[in-house]
Amino acid sequence: MKRNLLIILIITSGVFGADEIVSKKGESVTLSCSLGRSGALLWYRQYPNRALQYLQYQREFTITELKLADTALYYCARRVGAQ
């Protein structure tokens, strides 16, 4: 039986730079943001040639059972007015 390996690249971006995360199909990955230790953080995803899509309002973002469709740029941002 021939086994195919699928690698999914997720790039998280913030004010302080970007990280690349490479995982396999079916794995889980947790993205965390380093925009300070306090305050509200927002997560967005952007597919190629698409607008930003709001995901959630938490410090970390977890993707379970990765699929090829999860390949995108993921951004974290601090909410305006957050301490």
Side-chain angles (χ1 to χ4, degrees):
M1 176 189 283
K2 191 174 185 180
R3 298 177 86 188
N4 292 325
L5 174 65
L6 173 65
I7 296 179
I8 297 174
L9 175 64
I10 298 171
I11 301 175
T12 58
S13 298
V15 172
F16 300 112
D19 295 317
E20 293 183 8
I21 299 170
V22 178
S23 295
K24 298 176 189 172
K25 181 180 177 183
E27 291 183 342
S28 294
V29 63
T30 298
L31 309 177
S32 56
C33 189
S34 61
L35 291 178
R37 301 207 182 271
S38 63
L41 295 175
L42 307 170
W43 283 96
Y44 296 88
R45 171 175 52 209
Q46 186 175 32
Y47 294 111
N49 302 313
R50 298 282 179 104
L52 285 174
Q53 174 188 20
Y54 172 75
L55 297 172
Q56 70 180 30
Y57 172 78
Q58 283 184 323
R59 181 151 295 285
E60 293 183 337
F61 177 67
T62 300
I63 303 170
T64 56
E65 296 185 26
L66 283 169
K67 309 177 280 306
L68 183 59
D70 293 317
T71 302
L73 289 173
Y74 290 80
Y75 296 91
C76 66
R78 183 184 299 268
R79 189 184 67 161
V80 175
Q83 298 296 321

